[in-house]
Amino acid sequence: MEKFYATTAIDYVNGAPHIGHAYEKILTDVIVRHFSQRTDNAYMLTGTDEHGIKIQKTSAKINMNPKEFCDTNAQKFIDCWKLLDINYSQFIRTTDDYHKLTVQNIFKKLTEKGDIYKNSYTGLYCSGCEAFLAEKDLDEDGCCPVHKKKPEQISEENYFFKLTKYKDAILKHIKQNPDFIVPAFRANEVINQLENIEDISVSRAITSVNWGIKVLDDPSQVIYVWIDALSNYITALGYDINNPSEKFKTYWPADVQVIGKDILKFHSIYWLAILMALELPLPKHILAHGWITIDEAKMSKSLGNVVSPENVLKAYNLESPDAFRYYMATAAPVGRDGNYSDEDFKEKVNAHLANSMGNLLNRTLSMLVKYFDGEIKSEFIKESPLFSEAINTIKEVKHHFDYFEIQEASLKINELVDKANKFVTDNAPWTLAKEGKMEECGTVLYTILEIMCVISSLIYPYCPNIAKSMAKQLKYDINTKLDDIKINNIKTGKLTSKEEITPVFLRIDSELADKKK
Ligand code: MSP
């Protein structure tokens, strides 16, 4: 694998990040961290989507200049991703000058090509979706089914993009590449939407929306959000109509574009058409994840149940985001909805990270200190059937990640942890020590420590801090590429001492957490 390029949706900045936004960034970060264990050249793009009527209105309401408003809110996303250890390579803001310039050039090129034309238009505009809706898209009350608001009737001269010209090519692409849309069950939904597509409005009159990128040769119009927003995936890389940058040539096409199921249409239809019109290669996969609900209810300001990632970390007094990352990344099978609940969070991370995984390392190292003063002796080093299980788990985890099955991959890691725990219980090294069978006892401990090296690598994408702490205690190089992992990481000699052993994850104390909240 030469390179891996993954993108997330860029978030609207009309509010602060919530755990739905965080879910997507964590999924993408986990994917990219995994692929960074398979290539030296993994790149992750995220950012913020800052133009449009919603920002214009919200900033006006509080008498704030829209750019300042965006600056303040974009920073909240940047801060939140830092808190969650989202290791993005680049953060793009659609108000960045380089982005605006390239979007204008893209628009110009498509106009010159005849794919963009001017027409007068009357339609129903939902500012929540920043999109025109057809009558048939509305619910029984005439409202947008997502935002539950009546769309505005708008009549104006706009530029239109000839989406219909690309309909057949898009259909062919989706049908010929069944793994293009992940999960595959969503492809039919897109195929049905394609049936009824029309050309789309790609600009708004400046008299109705002024917070946007102006059309180069027609300053009476601003480029409507989706052409602006979608182009970020290539403008970030330095795409230029005439002279694409080295970075663009290296990374495009994206290996995976991670988005929520609500914006799949824009990515699998509009975005493909724009790329086809620009004669650019298409992304390899679009991964449409499901929604995160709170205690099984939709998250919404009106219900007052919007959860911020920052508050979760604070409530549980968590110094690192690993537990939250783990919980979110494994919340649902690929593409399905997932749920956040406090109870489940505590139970799951305590069981998996503290009791099964962390405790296994801690107990094993402690026994090594107790029985052997922390030393691995050459006679301990023996083959074990567990080793081929561990190598096999690496293969299985890679296979799941090839299909972006992040939860499924984590289950394989858990299985390996369970097998290692069972191995300890079955072989009872404490009994072996009591019976004076010191070599056998040492071999059991050595075996587990080798397995823990593999586990630290596998858990790294989900829990980078825990993985690093495990690797440090094992004197194992956490940067080992997955294909280079061999079962020979634990060397003879002194491995550890009482002072060096630290728990990798402390159980969440429910009483303390409840008090803090
Ligand atoms: N700005 C557009 C995306 C443009 S991409 C070129 C947008 N922004 S958003 O802020 O509304 O949403 C950003 C991402 O967060 C989307 O992929 C959306 O699906 C995701 N989520 C927002 N709320 C969510 C949940 N409750 N659960 C999971 N993800 C959800 O759409």
Side-chain angles (χ1 to χ4, degrees):
M1 177 178 289
E2 279 168 22
K3 63 94 189 173
F4 187 83
Y5 177 41
T7 65
T8 70
I10 49 174
D11 302 309
Y12 289 132
V13 285
N14 39 307
H18 56 59
I19 67 169
H21 300 120
Y23 175 59
E24 178 175 283
K25 289 9 174 221
I26 291 172
L27 283 185
T28 314
D29 186 59
V30 170
I31 292 172
V32 177
R33 282 180 189 264
H34 170 85
F35 282 98
S36 73
Q37 297 179 306
R38 294 165 68 173
T39 167
D40 282 331
N41 219 358
Y43 200 86
M44 170 174 168
L45 176 71
T46 191
T48 41
D49 187 356
E50 306 191 358
H51 293 124
I53 190 73
K54 240 186 318 188
I55 299 291
Q56 184 182 322
K57 283 187 181 164
T58 325
S59 56
K61 226 185 262 171
I62 54 167
N63 259 330
M64 204 168 176
N65 162 303
K67 179 63 168 66
E68 274 173 33
F69 178 79
C70 291
D71 288 347
T72 310
N73 280 350
Q75 193 58 44
K76 293 181 187 159
F77 285 83
I78 293 171
D79 292 345
C80 187
W81 304 156
K82 184 158 186 236
L83 196 69
L84 298 181
D85 278 337
I86 306 296
N87 193 25
Y88 56 77
S89 318
Q90 186 177 348
F91 191 97
I92 187 170
R93 297 180 55 190
T94 54
T95 49
D96 289 337
D97 285 339
Y98 70 91
H99 170 78
K100 292 196 284 189
L101 193 71
T102 313
V103 168
Q104 285 178 319
N105 287 331
I106 289 174
F107 198 93
K108 189 167 181 207
K109 176 166 175 174
L110 300 184
T111 311
E112 284 166 0
K113 206 179 164 191
D115 280 353
I116 286 181
Y117 61 94
K118 210 167 189 183
N119 205 355
S120 57
Y121 184 69
T122 300
L124 298 166
Y125 194 81
C126 169
S127 63
C129 299
E130 296 279 14
F132 284 97
L133 303 180
E135 291 276 359
K136 64 171 177 40
D137 297 333
L138 307 180
D139 64 16
E140 56 273 21
D141 303 322
C143 293
C144 161
V146 179
H147 298 95
K148 305 284 172 217
K149 269 195 193 151
K150 278 207 162 67
E152 246 179 286
Q153 171 100 11
I154 284 171
S155 253
E156 59 185 41
E157 269 231 306
N158 289 155
Y159 285 99
F160 278 75
F161 174 64
K162 278 192 190 160
L163 192 58
T164 44
K165 177 174 162 187
Y166 297 97
K167 176 178 166 178
D168 292 344
I170 296 170
L171 190 63
K172 192 168 153 204
H173 184 77
I174 294 175
K175 286 196 168 158
Q176 281 182 349
N177 298 279
D179 62 349
F180 172 63
I181 294 173
V182 183
F185 70 78
R186 291 222 177 273
N188 268 343
E189 200 176 296
V190 175
I191 291 171
N192 289 339
Q193 284 164 336
L194 259 172
E195 289 298 318
N196 306 310
I197 56 157
E198 290 169 6
D199 290 351
I200 49 166
S201 155
V202 287
S203 76
R204 298 290 313 274
I206 202 154
T207 44
S208 36
V209 183
N210 60 38
W211 182 237
I213 305 173
K214 289 196 182 68
V215 174
L216 260 189
D217 300 320
D218 183 355
S220 73
Q221 295 274 324
V222 298
I223 298 169
Y224 146 71
V225 288
W226 283 99
I227 280 219
D228 168 5
L230 290 164
S231 303
N232 92 87
Y233 303 129
I234 53 175
T235 65
L237 298 178
Y239 170 71
D240 184 304
I241 310 284
N242 303 313
N243 186 21
S245 69
E246 278 311 309
K247 195 160 140 192
F248 178 77
K249 286 192 240 165
T250 305
Y251 290 110
W252 192 258
D255 294 271
V256 64
Q257 301 210 256
V258 183
I259 51 152
K261 61 182 184 181
D262 55 320
I263 53 174
L264 178 59
K265 178 171 102 182
F266 300 107
H267 284 79
S268 55
I269 301 181
Y270 296 15
W271 180 223
L272 286 208
I274 294 169
L275 288 168
M276 286 175 180
L278 292 171
E279 293 161 38
L280 289 175
L282 306 180
K284 293 184 196 146
H285 306 280
I286 304 280
L287 166 54
H289 60 74
W291 283 77
I292 289 294
T293 52
I294 306 291
D295 298 325
E296 309 293 343
K298 196 168 179 230
M299 200 172 10
S300 81
K301 274 188 195 156
S302 50
L303 285 175
N305 65 350
V306 178
V307 174
S308 100
E310 201 184 338
N311 284 349
V312 176
L313 300 200
K314 269 194 200 143
Y316 295 106
N317 204 17
L318 294 169
E319 276 171 19
S320 107
D322 286 27
F324 180 67
R325 289 173 57 100
Y326 178 78
Y327 183 74
M328 286 276 102
T330 60
V334 60
R336 302 282 177 187
D337 292 345
N339 181 54
Y340 176 89
S341 95
D342 279 325
E343 267 317 301
D344 189 42
F345 173 66
K346 273 183 281 190
E347 215 179 284
K348 192 167 169 186
V349 301
N350 279 345
H352 294 189
L353 302 181
N355 298 355
S356 297
M357 195 177 70
N359 199 20
L360 178 60
L361 177 67
N362 205 267
R363 277 198 302 160
T364 312
L365 288 173
S366 301
M367 281 190 271
L368 192 71
V369 168
K370 184 171 174 194
Y371 302 134
F372 305 104
D373 195 26
E375 197 184 326
I376 298 285
K377 299 188 197 299
S378 56
E379 58 268 29
F380 298 171
I381 299 181
K382 287 196 191 98
E383 261 303 313
S384 161
L386 261 192
F387 296 162
S388 52
E389 302 254 17
I391 295 295
N392 197 37
T393 305
I394 300 175
K395 275 193 212 137
E396 290 176 320
V397 166
K398 278 174 65 185
H399 179 79
H400 281 304
F401 269 92
D402 286 340
Y403 294 91
F404 310 110
E405 293 166 350
I406 300 155
Q407 186 202 54
E408 294 79 345
S410 78
L411 299 178
K412 291 289 164 197
I413 307 172
N414 294 346
E415 274 174 26
L416 183 62
V417 174
D418 290 347
K419 280 178 192 160
N421 269 308
K422 182 170 183 306
F423 181 82
V424 176
T425 315
D426 289 352
N427 289 285
W430 47 89
T431 310
L432 293 171
K434 224 186 258 168
E435 291 169 354
K437 296 178 181 159
M438 298 320 282
E439 189 179 321
E440 277 176 60
C441 170
T443 298
V444 174
L445 302 183
Y446 158 77
T447 306
I448 296 301
L449 295 174
E450 286 285 12
I451 298 297
M452 292 316 284
C453 292
V454 177
I455 290 170
S456 69
S457 269
L458 293 178
I459 204 72
Y460 165 79
Y462 306 81
C463 301
N465 301 288
I466 291 179
K468 282 182 203 159
S469 163
M470 288 170 73
K472 189 170 169 213
Q473 296 184 61
L474 291 159
K475 303 210 166 46
Y476 168 66
D477 180 6
I478 195 66
N479 297 317
T480 312
K481 294 271 183 266
L482 291 184
D483 285 343
D484 295 337
I485 296 180
K486 309 244 161 24
I487 308 288
N488 63 356
N489 295 293
I490 302 296
K491 305 283 179 249
T492 50
K494 180 110 174 155
L495 178 72
T496 192
S497 60
K498 198 172 171 208
E499 295 69 40
E500 285 175 275
I501 304 175
T502 46
V504 292
F505 180 71
L506 289 174
R507 275 178 65 86
I508 290 178
D509 175 344
S510 42
E511 273 177 44
L512 171 82
D514 290 342
K515 221 188 295 166
K516 283 213 153 232
K517 276 198 286 179

